[in-house]
Structure formats: C-alpha cells, structure tokens
Amino acid sequence: MRIKWFSLIRITGLICVLLYHFFQMRYTGGFIGVDIFFTFSGYLITALALDEFSRKKSFALRDFYYRRVMRILPPLVLMICLVMPFTLLVGQDYITDLTRQVTSALSFSTNIFEIKTGGTYESRFIPHLFVHTWSLAIEVQFYLVWGFVIYLLAKFTPTLAQLRKRVFVSSGLLACGSALAMYLGAQQMNEFSPIYFSSVTHIFPFFIGSMLGAIAGIKELLPAFSQTVAKHWTKKRALIFMAANLLGLFVLAYFLRFDRRETYMYGFIGASLLAAGAIFGANVLHRKTPDTKEPQLFVYLADISYSVYLFHWPLYVIFSKQFSNGLAALLTTILSVGFASFSYYFLEPLLRGKPVSLFNQTLTFKQILAPFGICLTLGVSFVIYLCLQAPTVSSLERNLMLGSIAQDAGKLEQLYAKATAPKVEPKATNEAKTQIPAGTTIIGDSVTLGSRSYLLDHMSDVDIDAEGNRTMNLAYDVLMNQQNSGQLRQNVVMCIGTNSLDDYQEQTQKVIDDLKPGHRLIFITPHDGHADSSYNSYKLGVWERTLPAKYKFITIGDWDKVARAHPELFEGTDGTHFGGREEAMKLYLECIQDALQRAQKTPVKK
C-alpha cells in the first residue's frame, strides 16, 4: 500500500539538502533535510513492522535486514563506481585518504570515521567525497538496533495493541535520551560536528518518527487515530496542516546555521517535529482523497530521492572546482537524476529478481549477468587503483604540518640557545625594567601557519606563532604568555578571526585591554570567501575596521578586502586557505607589511 502525498515529504528533504549544498551561504539550514529523511524512515520502518505483525503475528528480522540491504547497498556501490572516473577532472587532493573513505562508506561507519579524524561537515578545502554517507551510516545503525528491538518486542507481545504501546514507549524513551544528549553536548562544545555525526546524539529523529508510526501506521491504524480522522479531520484541514508543516521546514531551513548552538539545542528537534507533523497530515490527506491520483512527477522524484542524494554530493564537489557554481549545480542535478533513475528503475529491480521492460523488451537479471559482471569488475578495479594512488594527506595538510614542524624546530632552537647562553648578572638591583624587544610578533591561525616559511624568508626581525583552528581566546593566551615572559615584541600582529566564535568582540577587547603599554597592535582582518554578513568572521572584520578611530595604537591590515579583490588566487580551495600558492602568499605578506609601515606612524599604547 502506497500512501499518497508522502512523496512531498521526501521531496522536501531532498530540496533542502540540495539547496544547502548548492547555495550554502543563502540557504544556511538546509542540512535539516537529512533530519526529514530520518524522521520519515523511522515512521515508515516502524509502521511497516507493525503491519507485518498484524498479518503474521511475528516480525521476520532476517527478511527485514535483507530488504534494507537490497535497498541501500546497490545504489551506494553504483555511486562509488560511477563517481570515481570524474575524479580525473580534479587533482589528487580530492581523493585524499580515499581507501578509508570508501571503506567507511561501504561499512556504514562514515560518521565514526569523521569523528575520529576530526572531520567537519562544513569543511570546504578538500571535502571528503563521501562525507554525506554519514547519514546513511546512522540510518543503517538505526536499522540494526531498532529492527532487533522490534523483533524482541514482537516475540514477547501477544497482541497488536500491546505491541503498539511498547513500541511507542520505547521510541519515546530513546528519542528523549538522544535529544537530551545532543542538548547537553551542544552546551559543552564550540565545534559541533562530533555531536552532529554521532548516532547517539543524532538518532532521535528516527524515534520521533517511530512514535508516530506506532500511532498512525500504513494499513493497520490505531483505532483512536481512525476515529479522530473520521470525526474531526476534513480534506481541507489535512491539506492545510501538511502544507503548514512543510512551509515551517523551509522557513526553519532558511534561518538555521550549522555553527549556532541553538541549532543543536532546539533546531533539530523542531525540524523532526515539523517533519512528523507533515507525515501525519499527508497520512490523513491520503485517506481523505481516495479518488485523487498523486501527480506522477511527485512519485518519480520521491522514488529517486535516495539515489539523487547519494550521487549529488561527490559530483558537486568535483564540478564546483571546475565550473561556476550555477553550472556545477546544473550538471550535478542532471547527472544525479540520470544515474538515480537508472539505479531505481533498472538496476535495483533486476538485482531483486524482477524483470524490467526496456524499449518494449523484457530483461531479466540472468540476461544482463555477463555485461553487469564485466562492468562491476572494471568499476571496482578502477576504485581499487585510485585507492592505491590516493595520497594520505592533502597538499594543505602537508603544508600545515611542515609549517608546524618548522615552527616547533625554531622554538627548540631558541630554547637551546637560551639555555646555553652565558648568564649576565644585572649591574645594579635598581636597573630599569627590561625594555620591550624591537621588531614584530605575529600570532596567527592556519592561514598564517601555511605561509609561515614564506613570511620568515621575506621579513626581518619577526617572530611567528601560528596554529590551525586557533580562535581569538587561544591567541589571547599566546599573547599573555609571551608578554609575561618578556618575549612579546613592540609590534603585535594578530592574524586571527577565520575561526570566530559568538563572543568575538569580548575576546578581541581582552586583547586590546590587557596588552601592556609600549606596544602597537595590528589586526589583520580574516577572510573567508564563502562568508556573508551573517558570519562571525565577517562581523569581526567589520568591527575591527572601527577600532583605529577609538585606539590610536591600533592599525588594520585589511586582508579580507585584498583577498576579495583577487578571487582567482582561491580557485580550487575552500576560499580561506590558498594551499601554499606563492602569488597568494606574496599578497598576504604585502598586506601585513603595509599595515606595519602604517603602524610605524602611530603612537604606541600609553
């Protein structure tokens, strides 16, 4: 039995995800499309399991797992094999750590892989081709656990009514536990990818769907639900209710942000509840429109939605580095729809033993076995070949590691020189306080770290302390340590802000207030080519530009303005880092040197 209008739920989830990936700066919360899919899957799986128990008085766990594997695995394997040739269009950085990426995708453990490797869902320098299979991993993990739970409940429950109650209560407890874990986790973290990827904290949408599935199933309905629908719900009311929830999802997806704490505390559970409301409305509308046919376009898009989701991300990652964003999105959509249609309407039915009609001829799997085997062998062989050729780290990671090693080696040399230098006793106990060292101290993040060697080669009398993912509060600690030890030089350059937290003003003000007299302070505005006015890094740059009018000892080096005037230097990057490109490093150096020259005309802090 197919419920009409459920197609709109799947289509809404797919549209949200596509808009988010294609136009992330404008549609910042489209990632909740995954939560729509999660909620719908939890509903559907539970409702179908209850229908099966109603017919057979049992739940066949082995058959359940087999159906899930046959629905999930073939499109996944097809996606990996078909996507791999497109990687020849881009550099080897895009297949970095490919073996573990493919292995994680096929073993449904991408979410665990991303957590362990420190993956960030919104990372854009060299995004993993298969990072989107994190959601598939959580889904399969849900099927494994929840399928077994339903099997045990069904085995020891005599009636459907009792099973409904036990499923509802179990789902509610698990949903509350998972949602609470995400809520508490969000309060303790500033980088939210670990709780986003975790099945423990992000599995509650499935159980919200399961709770609904226990009440409003597919064929077998809770009597109270049937009576309520019959007495109080009209076609118009059901339509308005479904539409209102779908509209709520689009509105929520427009305003949510991945890096906002409120998204994890309230946003995801709000999205799941809206999705459940839309599912409920569609279920009622189906029963109120027995003579209405669902548009075939809706059915088609819903059928291929899973495979489109699989194909679109790696194709977009590749095409977006070769073409304009609009063209990349168009090519991605066309190929994803084509590949997904082939998978759903041709390959998957044949693998399940169903004949397929093609050009007025009926094909069976036996007839295509030989060419299918050859194509699969070639595809798998090519994937293995690429895995063997793939680098273990990207050029950016290599550049940052080398910069970090060189920085650590320099610090060790300084410590050795200090330890072995002859001690000089002060001439008098009332000798004046130690003078502030001349020159420049640069405190930076990963952008500075990647350019560190180049800066040292082209600047004199400078110390550089840089580290990846450094925020202003961490830079403040470095500043205070150097200041207290007498190592902080007269000109202090803060190249911080790309990783900017919500309290960026307070953090920066601490730097200004606690810097001792005798120093000049230079802020280099952060640049993120993908950031708009809603990003903290962008807001920090705007605020920093106002500081020289208030503080005469502060100078601004406007790297964001300079970088935005030269977008060609960031082609093929995340829009923030420039991967050791000499032209970009030269521009970065000139921005810092220009700011230092202007700073020499300003007074030091009094």
Side-chain angles (χ1 to χ4, degrees):
M1 179 180 176
R2 183 171 189 136
I3 300 292
K4 291 177 296 187
W5 318 119
F6 275 178
S7 300
L8 293 174
I9 314 298
R10 288 172 168 164
I11 294 170
T12 298
L14 180 63
I15 290 175
C16 285
V17 171
L18 293 180
L19 288 176
Y20 172 64
H21 286 155
F22 293 163
F23 311 105
Q24 186 178 337
M25 295 304 106
R26 294 183 179 275
Y27 205 69
T28 56
F31 47 79
I32 65 167
V34 172
D35 295 83
I36 298 173
F37 286 131
F38 283 177
T39 307
F40 185 76
S41 292
Y43 165 81
L44 197 62
I45 290 303
T46 302
L48 290 173
L50 291 173
D51 284 352
E52 181 180 336
F53 181 84
S54 176
R55 295 191 311 270
K56 303 178 180 178
K57 298 304 178 184
S58 64
F59 175 69
L61 184 61
R62 185 176 64 179
D63 292 344
F64 168 76
Y65 286 152
Y66 174 78
R67 290 192 300 269
R68 293 297 89 207
V69 168
M70 292 305 295
R71 179 67 185 99
I72 292 172
L73 193 58
L76 178 63
V77 174
L78 179 67
M79 180 272 291
I80 293 173
C81 291
L82 290 181
V83 161
M84 284 298 101
F86 289 95
T87 61
L88 299 177
L89 298 174
V90 291
Q92 278 206 321
D93 275 349
Y94 289 87
I95 57 172
T96 298
D97 210 8
L98 184 62
T99 300
R100 289 206 293 171
Q101 286 196 60
V102 172
T103 303
S104 298
L106 293 175
S107 63
F108 307 112
S109 59
T110 297
N111 63 326
I112 299 172
F113 167 70
E114 294 295 335
I115 292 172
K116 287 187 174 181
T117 57
T120 302
Y121 186 62
E122 291 197 324
S123 173
R124 283 183 171 269
F125 185 75
I126 304 295
H128 288 166
L129 290 176
F130 307 122
V131 65
H132 66 311
T133 62
W134 73 270
S135 62
L136 188 59
I138 291 185
E139 188 159 357
V140 170
Q141 291 157 19
F142 165 75
Y143 292 152
L144 290 173
V145 173
W146 189 234
F148 186 68
V149 170
I150 291 180
Y151 169 75
L152 291 178
L153 291 175
K155 193 170 184 178
F156 298 102
T157 305
T159 66
L160 178 62
Q162 289 178 319
L163 182 59
R164 283 188 185 280
K165 292 179 183 178
R166 293 178 180 180
V167 166
F168 182 85
V169 172
S170 300
S171 299
L173 292 174
L174 291 169
C176 289
S178 175
L180 180 62
M182 176 174 278
Y183 181 89
L184 296 176
Q187 294 180 323
Q188 301 171 7
M189 294 184 176
N190 292 318
E191 208 296 297
F192 302 107
S193 290
I195 56 176
Y196 184 76
F197 286 132
S198 172
S199 56
V200 173
T201 53
H202 207 158
I203 207 168
F204 63 85
F206 289 100
F207 292 116
I208 290 176
S210 296
M211 294 172 68
L212 180 61
I215 299 171
I218 305 297
K219 288 184 179 180
E220 297 294 333
L221 308 178
L222 190 70
F225 173 77
S226 299
Q227 294 171 9
T228 301
V229 169
K231 290 182 179 180
H232 303 292
W233 285 80
T234 63
K235 178 173 68 175
K236 182 179 179 180
R237 182 178 179 183
L239 177 61
I240 292 174
F241 187 78
M242 180 185 70
N245 280 276
L246 292 178
L247 179 61
L249 286 168
F250 280 114
V251 172
L252 194 64
Y254 184 80
F255 287 104
L256 288 181
R257 282 278 303 275
F258 187 83
D259 59 353
R260 293 280 193 259
R261 198 179 310 276
E262 294 78 11
T263 297
Y264 301 85
M265 295 171 67
Y266 315 110
F268 287 119
I269 194 166
S272 300
L273 292 174
L274 286 171
I279 295 167
F280 180 86
N283 196 335
V284 176
L285 186 61
H286 165 79
R287 302 176 196 284
K288 294 295 181 178
T289 55
D291 300 323
T292 303
K293 288 188 177 181
E294 190 173 19
Q296 192 58 39
L297 179 62
F298 291 176
V299 177
Y300 169 67
L301 291 177
D303 285 345
I304 65 172
S305 59
Y306 165 61
S307 294
V308 169
Y309 175 82
L310 286 181
F311 278 102
H312 89 280
W313 173 251
L315 290 176
Y316 177 67
V317 167
I318 294 168
F319 290 147
S320 63
K321 307 310 173 187
Q322 298 295 312
F323 309 105
S324 66
N325 189 66
L327 182 56
L330 179 61
L331 289 173
T332 297
T333 302
I334 292 172
L335 286 177
S336 296
V337 169
F339 290 151
S341 300
F342 170 77
S343 176
Y344 186 84
Y345 292 108
F346 183 78
L347 179 62
E348 294 175 55
L350 289 173
L351 291 176
R352 289 195 292 266
K354 297 180 179 179
V356 172
S357 178
L358 185 66
F359 303 118
N360 296 323
Q361 291 191 357
T362 300
L363 294 177
T364 64
F365 182 70
K366 186 176 181 180
Q367 291 174 286
I368 69 159
L369 181 59
F372 173 76
I374 293 172
C375 292
L376 181 62
T377 300
L378 291 174
V380 171
S381 298
F382 187 67
V383 172
I384 293 174
Y385 168 77
L386 285 179
C387 287
L388 294 175
Q389 299 295 314
T392 54
V393 295
S394 67
S395 58
L396 171 65
E397 293 171 318
R398 190 183 309 111
N399 188 38
L400 293 180
M401 283 192 294
L402 291 175
S404 181
I405 292 172
Q407 179 171 271
D408 291 342
K411 289 181 179 179
L412 288 174
E413 290 179 1
Q414 291 178 358
L415 289 173
Y416 178 76
K418 185 177 181 180
T420 57
K423 295 183 178 180
V424 179
E425 296 294 332
K427 294 181 180 180
T429 57
N430 60 350
E431 185 178 14
K433 292 183 179 180
T434 304
Q435 295 294 316
I436 294 174
T440 301
T441 294
I442 298 178
I443 300 174
D445 54 21
S446 57
V447 176
T448 310
L449 182 58
S451 306
R452 183 177 182 276
S453 296
Y454 187 87
L455 296 176
L456 288 174
D457 289 342
H458 294 82
M459 297 180 72
S460 58
D461 211 12
V462 61
D463 286 334
I464 300 177
D465 190 307
E467 186 176 355
N469 296 319
R470 179 175 281 171
T471 50
M472 191 67 77
N473 60 319
L474 299 177
Y476 172 84
D477 294 339
V478 175
L479 178 75
M480 291 298 103
N481 287 335
Q482 292 200 17
Q483 182 169 262
N484 295 334
S485 63
Q487 297 176 337
L488 192 66
R489 302 197 175 203
Q490 187 176 58
N491 301 316
V492 180
V493 181
M494 303 293 287
C495 304
I496 299 292
T498 304
N499 309 291
S500 190
L501 304 179
D502 291 341
D503 57 342
Y504 61 89
Q505 285 194 21
E506 290 83 352
Q507 294 171 1
T508 308
Q509 193 64 50
K510 283 184 64 179
V511 171
I512 297 170
D513 294 342
D514 294 349
L515 182 69
K516 291 181 178 179
H519 295 279
R520 298 183 183 91
L521 186 57
I522 298 96
F523 287 111
I524 305 299
T525 59
H527 171 70
D528 179 350
H530 297 287
D532 60 17
S533 58
S534 67
Y535 273 60
N536 287 336
S537 60
Y538 186 93
K539 294 176 184 176
L540 173 61
V542 171
W543 185 67
E544 285 178 337
R545 294 182 186 101
T546 68
L547 296 176
K550 184 177 181 181
Y551 303 97
K552 300 303 181 183
F553 63 93
I554 292 180
T555 304
I556 300 300
D558 207 337
W559 171 239
D560 182 52
K561 181 179 179 181
V562 173
R564 288 183 185 276
H566 297 274
E568 71 280 359
L569 298 179
F570 294 88
E571 290 181 1
T573 75
D574 60 350
T576 299
H577 306 87
F578 31 82
R581 297 177 180 181
E582 186 168 353
E583 290 185 10
M585 290 191 293
K586 181 181 178 182
L587 206 62
Y588 190 56
L589 167 69
E590 290 173 352
C591 178
I592 295 174
Q593 287 179 325
D594 174 70
L596 284 169
Q597 289 174 2
R598 288 185 284 109
Q600 294 306 311
K601 301 176 183 179
T602 66
V604 298
K605 184 178 182 181
K606 302 299 186 181

